[in-house]
PDB file of all heavy atoms in Angstrom:
ATOM      1  N   GLU W  13     -17.633  -9.773   3.102  1.00  0.00           N
ATOM      2  CA  GLU W  13     -18.224  -9.083   4.257  1.00  0.00           C
ATOM      3  C   GLU W  13     -17.161  -8.110   4.826  1.00  0.00           C
ATOM      4  O   GLU W  13     -17.474  -7.306   5.719  1.00  0.00           O
ATOM      5  CB  GLU W  13     -18.656 -10.053   5.281  1.00  0.00           C
ATOM      6  CG  GLU W  13     -19.759 -10.879   4.755  1.00  0.00           C
ATOM      7  CD  GLU W  13     -21.072 -10.203   4.430  1.00  0.00           C
ATOM      8  OE1 GLU W  13     -21.334  -9.243   5.143  1.00  0.00           O
ATOM      9  OE2 GLU W  13     -21.706 -10.485   3.521  1.00  0.00           O
ATOM     10  N   VAL W  14     -15.981  -8.233   4.449  1.00  0.00           N
ATOM     11  CA  VAL W  14     -14.834  -7.492   5.040  1.00  0.00           C
ATOM     12  C   VAL W  14     -15.057  -5.927   5.061  1.00  0.00           C
ATOM     13  O   VAL W  14     -14.854  -5.202   6.065  1.00  0.00           O
ATOM     14  CB  VAL W  14     -13.497  -7.812   4.565  1.00  0.00           C
ATOM     15  CG1 VAL W  14     -12.333  -6.877   4.957  1.00  0.00           C
ATOM     16  CG2 VAL W  14     -13.147  -9.267   4.971  1.00  0.00           C
ATOM     17  N   VAL W  15     -15.506  -5.460   3.963  1.00  0.00           N
ATOM     18  CA  VAL W  15     -15.783  -3.989   3.810  1.00  0.00           C
ATOM     19  C   VAL W  15     -16.783  -3.544   4.831  1.00  0.00           C
ATOM     20  O   VAL W  15     -16.561  -2.499   5.518  1.00  0.00           O
ATOM     21  CB  VAL W  15     -16.184  -3.622   2.392  1.00  0.00           C
ATOM     22  CG1 VAL W  15     -16.500  -2.060   2.379  1.00  0.00           C
ATOM     23  CG2 VAL W  15     -15.015  -3.961   1.400  1.00  0.00           C
ATOM     24  N   ALA W  16     -17.836  -4.136   4.940  1.00  0.00           N
ATOM     25  CA  ALA W  16     -18.925  -3.795   6.000  1.00  0.00           C
ATOM     26  C   ALA W  16     -18.358  -3.848   7.295  1.00  0.00           C
ATOM     27  O   ALA W  16     -18.722  -2.988   8.192  1.00  0.00           O
ATOM     28  CB  ALA W  16     -20.221  -4.655   5.724  1.00  0.00           C
ATOM     29  N   LEU W  17     -17.655  -4.915   7.578  1.00  0.00           N
ATOM     30  CA  LEU W  17     -17.073  -5.180   8.881  1.00  0.00           C
ATOM     31  C   LEU W  17     -16.096  -3.984   9.310  1.00  0.00           C
ATOM     32  O   LEU W  17     -15.978  -3.736  10.447  1.00  0.00           O
ATOM     33  CB  LEU W  17     -16.530  -6.522   9.039  1.00  0.00           C
ATOM     34  CG  LEU W  17     -17.478  -7.713   9.118  1.00  0.00           C
ATOM     35  CD1 LEU W  17     -16.705  -9.076   9.004  1.00  0.00           C
ATOM     36  CD2 LEU W  17     -18.369  -7.677  10.268  1.00  0.00           C
ATOM     37  N   SER W  18     -15.279  -3.657   8.284  1.00  0.00           N
ATOM     38  CA  SER W  18     -14.202  -2.800   8.622  1.00  0.00           C
ATOM     39  C   SER W  18     -14.855  -1.285   9.000  1.00  0.00           C
ATOM     40  O   SER W  18     -14.232  -0.606   9.833  1.00  0.00           O
ATOM     41  CB  SER W  18     -13.227  -2.525   7.417  1.00  0.00           C
ATOM     42  OG  SER W  18     -13.923  -1.980   6.291  1.00  0.00           O
ATOM     43  N   GLN W  19     -16.030  -1.040   8.576  1.00  0.00           N
ATOM     44  CA  GLN W  19     -16.682   0.227   8.934  1.00  0.00           C
ATOM     45  C   GLN W  19     -17.093   0.305  10.386  1.00  0.00           C
ATOM     46  O   GLN W  19     -17.180   1.251  10.985  1.00  0.00           O
ATOM     47  CB  GLN W  19     -17.868   0.474   8.009  1.00  0.00           C
ATOM     48  CG  GLN W  19     -17.487   0.661   6.663  1.00  0.00           C
ATOM     49  CD  GLN W  19     -18.707   0.702   5.631  1.00  0.00           C
ATOM     50  OE1 GLN W  19     -19.820   0.542   6.078  1.00  0.00           O
ATOM     51  NE2 GLN W  19     -18.415   0.988   4.454  1.00  0.00           N
ATOM     52  N   GLY W  20     -17.279  -0.927  10.997  1.00  0.00           N
ATOM     53  CA  GLY W  20     -17.513  -0.937  12.433  1.00  0.00           C
ATOM     54  C   GLY W  20     -16.375  -1.078  13.402  1.00  0.00           C
ATOM     55  O   GLY W  20     -16.687  -1.210  14.602  1.00  0.00           O
ATOM     56  N   CYS W  21     -15.254  -1.034  12.878  1.00  0.00           N
ATOM     57  CA  CYS W  21     -14.002  -1.167  13.753  1.00  0.00           C
ATOM     58  C   CYS W  21     -13.932   0.092  14.550  1.00  0.00           C
ATOM     59  O   CYS W  21     -14.037   1.199  14.131  1.00  0.00           O
ATOM     60  CB  CYS W  21     -12.835  -1.420  12.963  1.00  0.00           C
ATOM     61  SG  CYS W  21     -12.654  -3.003  12.074  1.00  0.00           S
TER      62      CYS W  21
END
Side-chain angles (χ1 to χ4, degrees):
E13 300 295 322
V14 169
V15 173
L17 290 171
S18 69
Q19 294 172 356
C21 291

